[in-house]
Amino acid sequence: MSKGRRTRFLFKIHSYTGLITGIALLLIGISGSILVFSRDLDRIIYRDIQVVKAEGSRVSLDSGYAIMQARFPEMNYITYDGLPQDTNSAYQFFMMKDRVHFKAFLNPYTSKVLHHGKRYDYWMDWLLLFHYTFTIPVWGEFAAAILSLTLILSIVTGSIVYRKYISKVFLFRVPVKFRNWRTTSSGLHRIVGVWSLVFHVIIAVT
């Protein structure tokens, strides 16, 4: 295989693997960016079951746990789903029965269970599942592993194809030519790709 054909072949692999992982990374990136604010968004979306009136004395965490054990004896596992951040926050619990995940909210001032249901019926928990498994447990994790390998392949092939530009980009010697959409996108891809090289390696490996 000639050098030119080999380069075109590597570029084609780079293009396809980059497209596949690019779409996946976009979805993972958007969901991850939203999840950074998951606690605040949860309080907005589910304010009626997460925010309570701070009136009277609040039961201790141990007492709240005992209340939930008595209320849901059928659960195999019960624990706090994060500790309350404010005096007007409901106690949140994560529960599990036969590998099915549930959530429940307890008013710490009235000892009343405000709401309970399957964990992934709640928006932020569903988004967390999507972020890690694309909502397909086991197979989704396997797909994420395959995507990490395609990302590595895209990085390796891209590094070979653009090897002459790597040092030039870091030294700001590669200008973007705005002749048409093809040259503009190609130039931007070359520059952004080189600058994000280390970042993508870290993302792929981790």
Side-chain angles (χ1 to χ4, degrees):
M1 184 183 291
S2 65
K3 185 177 180 180
R5 290 186 63 184
R6 184 171 63 250
T7 300
R8 287 193 295 272
F9 175 71
L10 291 173
F11 181 77
K12 186 172 292 187
I13 294 176
H14 175 70
S15 300
Y16 287 129
T17 54
L19 178 63
I20 294 170
T21 53
I23 294 172
L25 284 176
L26 178 64
L27 295 174
I28 292 171
I30 292 173
S31 59
S33 299
I34 297 172
L35 285 168
V36 171
F37 307 98
S38 60
R39 189 175 294 275
D40 297 316
L41 291 172
D42 257 343
R43 285 177 68 89
I44 294 172
I45 298 172
Y46 303 109
R47 185 175 179 82
D48 57 330
I49 59 176
Q50 289 210 9
V51 180
V52 300
K53 289 184 179 180
E55 297 179 342
S57 58
R58 184 169 65 169
V59 300
S60 67
L61 295 175
D62 286 340
S63 298
Y65 181 74
I67 291 170
M68 297 305 288
Q69 282 186 312
R71 176 65 176 78
F72 299 98
E74 72 278 9
M75 294 294 168
N76 307 126
Y77 179 77
I78 299 176
T79 189
Y80 276 96
D81 191 12
L83 296 177
Q85 302 297 308
D86 304 292
T87 55
N88 65 344
S89 294
Y91 288 174
Q92 296 185 43
F93 291 86
F94 166 73
M95 306 184 295
M96 189 164 58
K97 178 185 178 184
D98 301 328
R99 296 189 178 184
V100 179
H101 297 177
F102 296 87
K103 287 187 74 170
F105 301 84
L106 177 73
N107 186 324
Y109 297 97
T110 64
S111 299
K112 178 183 177 182
V113 176
L114 300 173
H115 191 268
H116 71 279
K118 290 184 178 180
R119 180 182 183 185
Y120 298 115
D121 287 343
Y122 301 92
W123 281 101
M124 291 300 113
D125 291 281
W126 180 88
L127 195 62
L128 182 66
L129 181 68
F130 175 85
H131 181 72
Y132 283 108
T133 69
F134 300 108
T135 68
I136 312 171
V138 181
W139 283 109
E141 293 173 0
F142 178 74
I146 295 298
L147 286 170
S148 71
L149 296 178
T150 60
L151 178 56
I152 291 173
L153 186 59
S154 178
I155 291 169
V156 171
T157 53
S159 298
I160 295 172
V161 171
Y162 295 110
R163 62 189 181 280
K164 295 180 181 179
Y165 294 94
I166 293 176
S167 60
K168 293 180 181 179
V169 168
F170 285 133
L171 293 173
F172 301 99
R173 293 179 181 174
V174 179
V176 178
K177 298 177 182 179
F178 297 97
R179 294 175 186 171
N180 51 55
W181 73 269
R182 185 180 292 276
T183 57
T184 302
S185 61
S186 178
L188 288 173
H189 175 79
R190 189 179 298 121
I191 293 171
V192 174
V194 170
W195 276 107
S196 62
L197 189 60
V198 175
F199 170 77
H200 282 126
V201 169
I202 294 172
I203 289 294
V205 173
T206 57

